[in-house]
């Protein structure tokens, strides 16, 4: 019995050592290609809000807003580029950044799509931990944003992406 205890202890130490050397436990990393970001401010929006009503249930990329296993999210594309896929710790859903909003530019806030005002209000404002599953594309963000630079918030995102590249 004592030998089994030492064998299990040795296996645990070996596993931890290999995880440490692979970077699994380093500064926010969860695994290759994904990262954990703590205390992200989130808000909620819906397509029937007065400032979104002109766009209907469409995203900035031209697709329908999603609210299923994969859900739409809006963000500053110079922080979370279009196509970024993430999960909020403790929730089973996956979110994809496919929208932006003028109030989000210059912030690290992510706006989560909700199908109605009651669900939106129930979310309120929450600081959450997220796990980025896949980072989106700054070049794709620029290709969508550049034709829309008549708007100051879009010019700001384009400028921030171009200066960080």
């Amino acid at each position: 019995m004592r030998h089994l205890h030492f064998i299990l202890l040795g296996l645990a130490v070996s596993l931890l050592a290999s995880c440490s050397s692979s970077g699994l436990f380093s500064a926010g990393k969860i695994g290759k290609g994904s990262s954990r970001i703590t205390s992200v401010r989130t808000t909620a929006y819906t397509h029937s809000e007065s400032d979104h009503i002109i766009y209907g249930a469409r995203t900035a990329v031209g697709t329908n807003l999603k609210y299923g296993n994969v859900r739409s999210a809006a963000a500053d594309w110079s922080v979370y580029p279009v196509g970024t896929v993430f999960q909020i710790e403790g929730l089973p859903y996956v979110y994809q950044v496919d929208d932006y909003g003028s109030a989000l530019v210059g912030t690290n806030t992510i706006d989560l799509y909700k199908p109605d005002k009651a669900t939106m209000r129930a979310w309120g404002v929450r600081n959450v931990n997220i796990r980025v599953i896949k980072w989106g594309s700054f070049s794709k963000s620029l290709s969508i944003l550049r034709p829309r630079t008549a708007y100051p918030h879009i010019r700001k995102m384009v400028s921030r992406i171009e200066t960080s590249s």
Side-chain angles (χ1 to χ4, degrees):
M1 190 64 152
R2 184 174 273 205
H3 292 298
L4 180 60
H5 177 73
F6 284 118
I7 291 171
L8 290 175
L9 183 61
L11 285 173
V13 168
S14 297
L15 178 63
L16 287 174
S18 69
C19 287
S20 176
S21 66
S22 70
L24 188 65
F25 293 124
S26 63
K29 293 290 184 190
I30 296 220
K32 188 173 183 177
S34 68
S35 47
R36 181 175 188 259
I37 305 172
T38 59
S39 197
V40 175
R41 182 178 188 270
T42 61
T43 53
Y45 73 108
T46 189
H47 64 279
S48 60
E49 284 182 279
S50 60
D51 63 339
H52 203 282
I53 222 156
I54 61 171
Y55 306 108
R58 306 287 287 174
T59 68
V61 298
T63 60
N64 289 327
L65 288 161
K66 299 181 287 291
Y67 191 76
N69 288 329
V70 177
R71 298 178 175 198
S72 291
D76 177 342
W77 288 2
S78 67
V79 178
Y80 300 99
V82 67
T84 298
V85 178
F86 66 94
Q87 188 167 20
I88 295 173
E89 286 184 2
L91 295 180
Y93 318 109
V94 172
Y95 294 86
Q96 181 173 23
V97 175
D98 56 9
D99 212 354
Y100 56 76
S102 59
L104 301 171
V105 178
T107 73
N108 290 326
T109 300
I110 298 176
D111 214 2
L112 307 172
Y113 174 70
K114 303 295 180 182
D116 54 61
K117 288 182 181 178
T119 311
M120 177 191 78
R121 282 190 292 273
W123 183 266
V125 176
R126 300 182 192 183
N127 288 330
V128 300
N129 298 331
I130 67 170
R131 180 174 54 92
V132 176
I133 298 166
K134 182 187 113 196
W135 284 99
S137 165
F138 287 115
S139 61
K140 185 171 182 182
S141 297
L142 283 174
S143 70
I144 294 168
L145 294 172
R146 278 196 179 117
R148 304 173 186 184
T149 55
Y151 301 96
H153 66 285
I154 294 178
R155 282 195 304 272
K156 187 174 180 180
M157 283 191 286
V158 167
S159 174
R160 289 178 65 173
I161 293 169
E162 288 175 339
T163 58
S164 67
S165 299

